[in-house]
Amino acid sequence: MSRDVFDDAEYERRVERTKARLREEDLDAIVVADPANMNYLTGYDGWSFYVHQAVVVTPERDEPVWIGRGMDAGGARATTNLSEESILSYSDDHVHSPYDLHPMDFVAGVLEDLEVADGRIGLEMDAAYFTAKSYTRLQQNLPEAEFEDATLLVGWVRIKKSERELEYMREAARISENAMQAGLDAIEAGVPEYEAAAAIYDALINGTDEYGGDYPSIVPLLPSGDHTDTPHLTWTDRPFEDGDPVIIELSGCRHRYHSPLARTTFVGDPPAELEETADIVVEGIEAALDAVEPGVTCESVEEAWRETIAQYGLEKEDRIGYSMGLGYPPDWGEHTASIRPGDETVLEEDMTFHMIPGIWTADVGMEISETFHVTSSGAETLADFPRRLFTT
Amino acid sequence: MSRDVFDDAEYERRVERTKARLREEDLDAIVVADPANMNYLTGYDGWSFYVHQAVVVTPERDEPVWIGRGMDAGGARATTNLSEESILSYSDDHVHSPYDLHPMDFVAGVLEDLEVADGRIGLEMDAAYFTAKSYTRLQQNLPEAEFEDATLLVGWVRIKKSERELEYMREAARISENAMQAGLDAIEAGVPEYEAAAAIYDALINGTDEYGGDYPSIVPLLPSGDHTDTPHLTWTDRPFEDGDPVIIELSGCRHRYHSPLARTTFVGDPPAELEETADIVVEGIEAALDAVEPGVTCESVEEAWRETIAQYGLEKEDRIGYSMGLGYPPDWGEHTASIRPGDETVLEEDMTFHMIPGIWTADVGMEISETFHVTSSGAETLADFPRRLFTT
């Protein structure tokens, strides 16, 4: 059962740290709608985030309250250790309702019962699934409340990983290695892109000999040929052709924890220019990984990358990495610290990042990435996979 | 290339119908943030919806405008036929920004350039990914605008499917049949749930001999044993055991079009009560399908189900189906018409629905579903798969 993923003490620490942040911010409650944050605080794990749901934490109440659709209350019983009085659900006529009912009307009622209706309430204003309508309905129902943007409050609580979380991320890394190898093995001229995607999925879900894989928050991305000038394109029916670059970005997932990995391969003999670009990217990644240690800032890590590739005349405007770990679709990122200019977040032990400095030129793209854990002595990369351009 | 999924004329008809609705509602623009609606209007197809993006349609401008992250503009060029001046992108410092920049600041600038900053602007207030923050930033940037909730405007434009859309849904149904068979074949005592999930994924992505499958908007759901008392739970490492009921809900996907299918199986010899429940559910589904024809209402279809199962003392409070087709995570539903009491939507030819009357008791759950197309003569079910309880 998913409720055994972490022991009760770990959830209690998470909730206590969240309550401490609420007290610091002088908030009487937070309404957590991000499914990753809901899972983090309660263990709740179900594909039910296509309807509105939330976890409410107040500094006063011991347990968080889980609020969801009636038919999902059983899922809350199965995957959390919450007591029955902390599992509250709304009737089905609130779902995509033609009756002017909205799940947040029910959430507002819970906030009234928790006696915070006239308090300062934190909302995840920019979290996926916390819609504009969710916000306006809470405002209409609770005219006395003062709402504050608390989008990243739980995200910052999550940023340092426990030993058990790191264990799941290392397990996810084993799955990522298997899936990357399966993808590289499947790609050759004449094979349709979807067959390579199927081989990757097979490895992602079958996992290892010891354990299976969970669904990743982002599907394997597999742009090939002239689609490699842009990230985020998925597979098609097109067969790979001799002369195609192919980017594979994927992540194994274990109990919702990820360890993303990207590599680039080439169908046939790669042009010298692509090989050179790969060498520069690898040198830049290694310089950035070398710069990682507790006490340095995110922007200084980016600077190490930037200065290294600048020696070869390359530049890149985008961020090159972000804090990540636990996630649900559409993202495995935590949206807190990013490795980029101007981000002065100081690295601390047990933070985890995905460093993915993609290079996209007018003609071609290349991605090589590593997920790393900040240890007392530097960066521990979670996957052990050759860091280079591949060829079929 | 994905831009060949539909011809230009089909996109033009979709945009024209949307413009007609804008005129009816006296709207000067709509900001479309739902990825399925973005795809419907432009063809745009990328896993980039974890950052803010939008399509803007105005009654005045020929083409819609696509707005997204800089690195995704190439994806818009690859998957749409929009001209270069209709592809607008924001810089990377807007993404999970520590600089108080938000992508909707950029969208607001586009709305100004389109000369609708003081107009009536429709917003998809309750669409996944159109966050509360997106709304407040648009309000701040455009104090003269009058915002209206237009959440389902494009959804209602989408509700009747074209011949080409139906073709993709039938192709998705072929994939669903293959994947359901693969799942049923894989489930037996001692096999871990994830191995069955892997077998299903393999069939979902490998598709058929003629074409591959796209990623479904919802992962295969696979609750087993006492998890079947709730839907929406995904697979775990637990091996199936003799005496387990197992629900499989999945959908093949073709060019983002779905044809969901659910069946229930039993590891070993099912108890007589479960067999009887299955027979009642099948009788209820068949009565509901028989009630389908152009001119009848959604609620009358639900009534046929309800009255049939009531004869056996069964009842169910939830809706039993919903309009669906094109979708992105987290959902394949369109959120418009539902098959439930009080929904007076009149069925019209070429609407498509997923009818999924799950029965969840305190002990066990059962799901048998069909995706159907409303034809001039009744319901055409898209998948051809035995409609009964299975056993391993």
Side-chain angles (χ1 to χ4, degrees):
Chain A
M1 303 275 277
S2 309
R3 59 163 54 131
D4 299 325
V5 174
F6 294 100
D7 59 26
D8 288 354
E10 182 143 357
Y11 289 114
E12 282 162 20
R13 282 192 296 272
R14 296 171 176 186
V15 171
E16 283 310 315
R17 285 204 302 269
T18 303
K19 289 182 184 180
R21 293 283 296 119
L22 293 178
R23 289 188 196 102
E24 281 168 36
E25 301 287 332
D26 200 22
L27 290 170
D28 298 304
I30 182 170
V31 178
V32 170
D34 178 324
N37 291 340
M38 290 177 63
N39 174 309
Y40 186 77
L41 294 170
T42 70
Y44 180 67
D45 184 22
W47 191 291
S48 52
F49 39 87
Y50 70 93
V51 298
H52 294 293
Q53 50 185 22
V55 159
V56 177
V57 179
T58 73
E60 307 304 330
R61 196 174 190 282
D62 274 353
E63 285 188 331
V65 175
W66 178 93
I67 306 165
R69 184 180 185 181
M71 65 172 69
D72 294 316
R77 289 182 198 106
T79 61
T80 78
N81 273 331
L82 296 176
S83 59
E84 194 58 30
E85 57 265 35
S86 297
I87 297 175
L88 303 175
S89 61
Y90 55 82
S91 57
D92 218 59
D93 45 8
H94 291 74
V95 176
H96 309 145
S97 180
Y99 320 111
D100 194 33
L101 284 173
H102 193 278
M104 286 297 148
D105 302 342
F106 184 87
V107 173
V110 173
L111 291 166
E112 280 171 359
D113 293 344
L114 291 170
E115 298 181 352
V116 296
D118 58 354
R120 295 186 79 232
I121 300 175
L123 302 176
E124 296 183 327
M125 294 290 289
D126 211 22
Y129 314 135
F130 189 72
T131 64
K133 181 99 165 194
S134 295
Y135 175 55
T136 59
R137 293 300 278 237
L138 284 179
Q139 284 183 314
Q140 286 160 24
N141 280 288
L142 302 173
E144 304 297 314
E146 190 181 339
F147 295 109
E148 297 294 326
D149 187 353
T151 302
L152 296 179
L153 189 147
V154 180
W156 284 109
V157 170
R158 283 166 54 193
I159 196 163
K160 290 178 67 169
K161 307 301 183 285
S162 71
E163 194 39 56
R164 192 80 184 259
E165 289 181 291
L166 289 168
E167 194 179 305
Y168 292 140
M169 290 178 70
R170 289 191 191 99
E171 289 180 359
R174 298 291 82 72
I175 298 174
S176 293
E177 294 160 3
N178 290 347
M180 185 60 71
Q181 192 60 55
L184 291 171
D185 289 348
I187 293 169
E188 61 179 292
V191 169
E193 291 177 7
Y194 66 80
E195 281 191 25
I200 291 168
Y201 256 124
D202 187 67
L204 286 176
I205 311 300
N206 269 316
T208 71
D209 291 345
E210 287 80 39
Y211 48 83
D214 211 341
Y215 62 88
S217 290
I218 302 179
V219 296
L221 299 170
L222 198 70
S224 74
D226 58 11
H227 276 192
T228 54
D229 69 350
T230 179
H232 305 140
L233 292 178
T234 53
W235 61 89
T236 72
D237 284 2
R238 193 182 80 95
F240 297 109
E241 289 173 18
D242 203 57
D244 274 349
V246 186
I247 291 172
I248 306 174
E249 181 179 344
L250 56 76
S251 182
C253 184
R254 183 72 179 144
H255 297 309
R256 310 300 326 133
Y257 283 83
H258 296 77
S259 189
L261 187 66
R263 291 291 183 269
T264 303
T265 186
F266 195 87
V267 183
D269 293 324
E273 194 194 335
L274 195 66
E275 300 246 42
E276 284 158 23
T277 303
D279 290 343
I280 297 166
V281 168
V282 169
E283 192 179 328
I285 289 172
E286 289 174 354
L289 289 171
D290 283 347
V292 170
E293 63 178 329
V296 307
T297 61
C298 280
E299 64 178 352
S300 68
V301 174
E302 195 274 346
E303 196 180 1
W305 150 266
R306 178 182 296 259
E307 290 185 351
T308 303
I309 67 166
Q311 297 170 47
Y312 303 96
L314 276 184
E315 56 181 47
K316 173 182 155 60
E317 282 186 8
D318 315 311
R319 65 173 177 177
I320 65 159
Y322 46 82
S323 173
M324 46 67 60
L326 173 67
Y328 281 85
D331 203 3
W332 52 52
E334 292 172 347
H335 304 183
T336 47
S338 289
I339 304 175
R340 65 172 152 201
D343 192 320
E344 296 173 0
T345 306
V346 175
L347 297 188
E348 292 181 57
E349 224 175 305
D350 298 331
M351 290 181 175
T352 48
F353 289 86
H354 184 211
M355 182 188 289
I356 178 160
I359 293 281
W360 301 283
T361 69
D363 299 322
V364 73
M366 144 137 345
E367 289 180 28
I368 295 176
S369 84
E370 296 290 353
T371 294
F372 68 90
H373 159 215
V374 181
T375 72
S376 59
S377 58
E380 174 209 22
T381 51
L382 299 190
D384 178 14
F385 206 86
R387 198 178 294 155
R388 62 174 171 83
L389 177 68
F390 286 82
T391 56
T392 61
Chain B
M1 303 277 277
S2 309
R3 56 163 56 132
D4 298 326
V5 174
F6 294 99
D7 60 25
D8 287 354
E10 181 143 357
Y11 289 114
E12 283 162 20
R13 282 192 294 272
R14 295 170 176 188
V15 171
E16 283 310 315
R17 284 204 302 269
T18 302
K19 290 182 184 179
R21 292 284 296 119
L22 293 178
R23 289 188 196 102
E24 280 168 37
E25 301 288 333
D26 200 22
L27 290 169
D28 299 303
I30 183 169
V31 178
V32 171
D34 178 325
N37 291 340
M38 290 177 64
N39 174 308
Y40 186 76
L41 293 170
T42 70
Y44 180 67
D45 184 22
W47 190 291
S48 52
F49 39 87
Y50 70 92
V51 297
H52 295 293
Q53 50 184 23
V55 159
V56 177
V57 180
T58 73
E60 306 305 330
R61 196 175 190 282
D62 275 353
E63 285 189 330
V65 175
W66 179 94
I67 305 165
R69 185 181 185 182
M71 64 172 71
D72 294 316
R77 290 183 197 105
T79 61
T80 78
N81 274 332
L82 296 176
S83 59
E84 194 57 30
E85 58 265 36
S86 297
I87 297 175
L88 303 175
S89 61
Y90 56 81
S91 57
D92 218 59
D93 45 6
H94 291 74
V95 176
H96 309 145
S97 180
Y99 321 110
D100 193 33
L101 285 173
H102 193 279
M104 285 298 148
D105 302 342
F106 184 87
V107 173
V110 173
L111 292 166
E112 281 171 1
D113 293 344
L114 292 170
E115 297 180 352
V116 295
D118 58 354
R120 295 186 78 232
I121 300 175
L123 301 176
E124 296 183 326
M125 294 291 288
D126 212 22
Y129 314 136
F130 188 71
T131 64
K133 182 97 166 195
S134 294
Y135 176 55
T136 58
R137 292 299 278 237
L138 285 179
Q139 284 183 315
Q140 286 161 25
N141 280 289
L142 302 174
E144 304 296 314
E146 190 182 339
F147 294 108
E148 297 293 327
D149 188 354
T151 303
L152 296 178
L153 189 147
V154 180
W156 284 110
V157 170
R158 282 166 54 193
I159 197 163
K160 289 177 67 168
K161 307 301 183 287
S162 71
E163 193 40 55
R164 192 78 185 260
E165 290 181 290
L166 289 167
E167 193 179 306
Y168 292 141
M169 289 179 69
R170 289 190 191 100
E171 289 180 357
R174 298 290 82 72
I175 299 174
S176 294
E177 293 160 2
N178 290 347
M180 183 60 71
Q181 193 60 55
L184 292 171
D185 289 347
I187 291 169
E188 60 179 293
V191 169
E193 290 176 9
Y194 66 81
E195 282 191 25
I200 291 168
Y201 255 123
D202 188 66
L204 287 176
I205 310 301
N206 268 316
T208 71
D209 291 344
E210 287 81 39
Y211 48 83
D214 211 341
Y215 61 89
S217 290
I218 302 180
V219 296
L221 299 169
L222 198 69
S224 74
D226 58 11
H227 276 192
T228 52
D229 68 352
T230 179
H232 305 139
L233 291 178
T234 52
W235 60 89
T236 71
D237 283 2
R238 193 181 81 94
F240 297 109
E241 289 173 19
D242 203 58
D244 275 349
V246 187
I247 292 172
I248 305 174
E249 180 179 346
L250 55 77
S251 182
C253 184
R254 183 72 178 144
H255 297 310
R256 311 299 328 132
Y257 283 82
H258 297 77
S259 189
L261 186 67
R263 290 293 184 268
T264 302
T265 185
F266 195 86
V267 183
D269 292 325
E273 194 193 335
L274 196 67
E275 300 244 43
E276 283 159 22
T277 304
D279 289 344
I280 298 166
V281 168
V282 169
E283 192 179 329
I285 289 172
E286 289 174 354
L289 288 172
D290 282 347
V292 170
E293 63 178 330
V296 307
T297 60
C298 280
E299 64 178 352
S300 67
V301 174
E302 195 274 346
E303 195 180 359
W305 150 265
R306 178 183 296 261
E307 290 183 351
T308 304
I309 67 166
Q311 298 170 48
Y312 302 96
L314 275 184
E315 57 181 46
K316 174 182 154 58
E317 283 187 8
D318 316 309
R319 66 175 174 174
I320 65 159
Y322 47 82
S323 174
M324 47 65 61
L326 173 67
Y328 281 85
D331 203 3
W332 52 51
E334 290 172 348
H335 305 182
T336 47
S338 289
I339 304 175
R340 65 173 152 200
D343 192 319
E344 297 173 1
T345 306
V346 175
L347 297 188
E348 292 181 57
E349 223 174 308
D350 298 330
M351 289 181 177
T352 48
F353 288 86
H354 184 210
M355 183 188 290
I356 178 160
I359 293 279
W360 302 284
T361 69
D363 300 322
V364 74
M366 142 132 355
E367 288 179 30
I368 295 175
S369 84
E370 296 290 353
T371 294
F372 68 89
H373 160 215
V374 181
T375 73
S376 58
S377 57
E380 172 208 22
T381 52
L382 298 191
D384 179 15
F385 206 87
R387 198 178 293 156
R388 62 175 172 83
L389 177 68
F390 287 81
T391 56
T392 61

